[in-house]
Amino acid sequence: MELNQQSDWVARSLRSVWHPCTQMQHHETVPLIPVSRGQGVWLYDHQGKRYLDAISSWWVNLFGHANPRINAALKQQLDTLEHAMLAGFTHEPVIELSEKLSALTGHVLGHSFYASDGASAVEIALKMSFHSWRNRGHSAKQEFVCLKGSYHGETIGALAVTDVALFKDAYGPLLRASQTVMSPDARQASEGETAADVARRAAADVERLFMEKSDRIAAIIIEPLVQCATGMAMHDPLYLQLVRELCDRFSVHLILDEIAVGCGRTGTFFACEQAGIWPDFLCLSKGISGGYLPLSLVLTRDEIYQAFYSSDVTRGFLHSHSYTGNPLACRAALATLQIFEEDDVLRTNRIKAERLTAALQPLAQHEKVRNFRQRGMIWAFDAIDAAPDFSRRFFATAVEHELLMRPIGASVYMMPPYVLSDEEIDTLANNTLAVFNQVMAG
């Protein structure tokens, strides 16, 4: 019965659902997995087979599936208020969440503006930057700068500051041109160079562009410490310090996209804390709701907020989404922040990270692996001489070994929930090695 039920769900999905980030024809050979439930780090299909969610369901899940504390908070909120428009109204969850997030920045970043998905948060930051410059009499500052290999989402504005050809090229005629500067990816180090040296070279590239065009540049957008979608490209925190100084010197806004790397992923709650700097705009999504509900937001400085504060409605920021500041999503986020506080998550994550890094050493030293790297609760390595279909074959083989993993090209990565047990850490490390050996053997 379970097998028939399983295949029925697959067939119905393929007939009716257009799945994201997928060439649908690949599902003629690559399995589609119908999930029936989740518990902790595991997802279960209708046959009872389990899969360790090693990528946190696209980097969103922090404290496991069906987390009892987040569940309880949501059940209570359901009986109180499910949604109310945020134009002309406000409510307790969105107020408390905004206050707590600002406090986490030492109140350097004051107001939060809410949306649902990460790309929408990026759109908000881009529009706010441009509009605030215009409101302050600098209407020529209309251009944006992004890093080589950057990814910030797939709506039109976010895609314009994305530099991944696979996602961007088909839509080129629709996009506003942006400036692209060198990535600080530490893998680019020449012999004798350190990650900090690469950061200095990349910052020098930004300086050259700013010297030439800063009067026309509104903002530079950066995914701090780890450029995720380009293959977990990691860089030295020095880069953020140097770019912050350049932005101050040349009057350019700094937008930090912490959608994937915030909420403790890199070892601090905000990735930029490791550089000792704050941006002008900070974008959050994914893990902020614990992986429960769509929620994104932009935190910004008070001087940005004040640039819109006027009796003139055209100087206001009139951007809106129907579900802006949804109470259920905000309540999930508040429960997530409470777990951070009560469980001292950042400290316990350091212990888990050390254990998993040690367990992954057979992979780190593998003859067919290079650039093994780790930052906080993110691990990655690159396969040497990987076949063109490496990513799809790795995914399919991982499923056979109870793992959910989706390599980015030849880069294999792990971004698991923070609730891994010691036994699950060993399972993840051992099974990843087995999958890699099987795939590389052909």
Side-chain angles (χ1 to χ4, degrees):
M1 181 64 181
E2 290 84 0
L3 180 59
N4 290 337
Q5 185 182 35
Q6 177 109 334
S7 58
D8 183 52
W9 283 118
V10 170
R12 288 170 62 182
S13 187
L14 292 174
R15 280 197 303 269
S16 61
V17 180
W18 197 336
H19 292 268
C21 202
T22 301
Q23 170 47 265
M24 290 298 292
Q25 192 183 63
H26 290 164
H27 279 310
E28 292 180 7
T29 55
V30 176
L32 184 66
I33 304 167
V35 175
S36 66
R37 67 183 182 90
Q39 186 66 54
V41 301
W42 298 95
L43 294 169
Y44 295 83
D45 67 17
H46 290 269
Q47 294 177 271
K49 292 181 180 177
R50 64 179 191 169
Y51 309 91
L52 198 158
D53 191 356
I55 57 173
S56 294
S57 290
W58 257 346
W59 321 342
V60 301
N61 190 286
L62 300 190
F63 300 119
H65 299 280
N67 182 284
R69 283 185 277 181
I70 302 177
N71 286 0
L74 281 173
K75 288 172 183 174
Q76 184 177 22
Q77 185 63 44
L78 271 172
D79 290 332
T80 307
L81 177 66
E82 84 298 338
H83 184 65
M85 64 186 292
L86 207 59
F89 294 83
T90 193
H91 52 77
E92 179 183 322
V94 78
I95 296 167
E96 290 185 353
L97 179 58
S98 302
E99 290 172 342
K100 286 181 178 294
L101 289 171
S102 180
L104 287 171
T105 73
H107 301 288
V108 174
L109 304 178
H111 289 77
S112 291
F113 196 101
Y114 289 85
S116 298
D117 57 89
S120 296
V122 169
E123 298 271 348
I124 288 164
L126 296 174
K127 287 176 66 177
M128 275 186 178
S129 174
F130 159 75
H131 198 166
S132 67
W133 284 122
R134 190 182 74 172
N135 281 354
R136 292 167 61 187
H138 302 285
S139 57
K141 293 174 78 69
Q142 302 180 7
E143 298 184 24
F144 296 99
V145 181
C146 64
L147 307 189
K148 184 174 176 57
S150 60
Y151 175 89
H152 299 289
E154 295 175 47
T155 51
I156 296 298
L159 201 55
V161 289
T162 286
D163 185 50
V164 179
L166 181 64
F167 301 128
K168 185 174 183 177
D169 283 0
Y171 310 103
L174 304 179
L175 305 179
R176 183 181 178 88
S178 60
Q179 303 288 327
T180 304
V181 292
M182 173 185 168
S183 167
D185 181 357
R187 292 176 294 179
Q188 300 173 113
S190 303
E191 188 174 352
E193 257 194 327
T194 65
D197 293 329
V198 178
R200 291 186 186 93
R201 281 201 286 123
D205 196 37
V206 175
E207 183 175 26
R208 282 190 291 270
L209 179 63
F210 282 8
M211 288 178 70
E212 178 187 350
K213 301 191 68 173
S214 63
D215 59 330
R216 286 171 282 167
I217 295 172
I220 181 172
I221 182 167
I222 298 169
E223 200 173 13
L225 301 187
V226 187
Q227 290 179 258
C228 294
T230 195
M232 301 299 161
M234 300 184 184
H235 61 256
D236 193 285
L238 174 64
Y239 179 72
L240 302 175
Q241 297 174 13
L242 296 174
V243 173
R244 175 73 271 181
E245 291 168 4
L246 290 170
C247 287
D248 291 340
R249 182 171 140 205
F250 288 97
S251 296
V252 172
H253 288 148
L254 176 59
I255 302 171
L256 291 187
D257 173 355
E258 296 223 6
I259 291 162
V261 298
C263 302
R265 277 291 174 197
T266 64
T268 46
F269 189 83
F270 298 111
C272 63
E273 293 179 76
Q274 295 180 48
I277 61 107
W278 294 108
D280 301 294
F281 304 89
L282 193 151
C283 303
L284 277 183
S285 189
K286 292 192 182 290
I288 188 59
S289 73
Y292 267 69
L293 289 164
L295 179 67
S296 68
L297 60 101
V298 179
L299 278 157
T300 192
R301 294 176 182 261
D302 284 342
E303 52 262 41
I304 303 292
Y305 175 81
Q306 289 299 326
F308 294 89
Y309 201 84
S310 170
S311 60
D312 182 354
V313 69
T314 66
R315 292 177 62 89
F317 190 64
L318 305 182
H319 188 105
S320 62
H321 296 275
S322 300
Y323 284 91
T324 291
N326 173 259
L328 288 168
C330 290
R331 183 60 67 193
L334 285 166
T336 298
L337 294 182
Q338 187 174 0
I339 293 173
F340 269 99
E341 295 172 13
E342 292 178 353
D343 292 6
D344 198 2
V345 169
L346 297 177
R347 183 187 65 81
T348 56
N349 276 2
R350 286 194 291 272
I351 297 169
K352 291 178 188 291
E354 289 175 5
R355 181 177 173 86
L356 182 51
T357 299
L360 289 170
Q361 285 311 296
L363 268 168
Q365 298 164 20
H366 199 290
E367 62 180 3
K368 294 184 179 180
V369 164
R370 65 184 164 203
N371 300 318
F372 179 87
R373 51 202 182 275
Q374 176 255 337
R375 171 76 70 173
M377 292 293 284
I378 304 173
W379 292 261
F381 60 87
D382 304 327
I384 297 173
D385 298 326
D389 63 348
F390 172 82
S391 178
R392 290 202 305 277
R393 288 177 56 227
F394 195 101
F395 169 79
T397 307
V399 165
E400 297 170 3
H401 288 77
E402 295 191 331
L403 295 180
L404 171 56
M405 300 182 75
R406 287 173 60 102
I408 301 169
S411 297
V412 178
Y413 74 90
M414 283 156 272
M415 202 185 288
Y418 302 161
V419 294
L420 284 167
S421 67
D422 287 351
E423 181 182 355
E424 289 161 344
I425 285 172
D426 292 338
T427 296
L428 175 56
N430 294 335
N431 289 16
T432 302
L433 177 62
V435 171
F436 184 73
N437 283 332
Q438 186 173 330
V439 172
M440 294 303 285

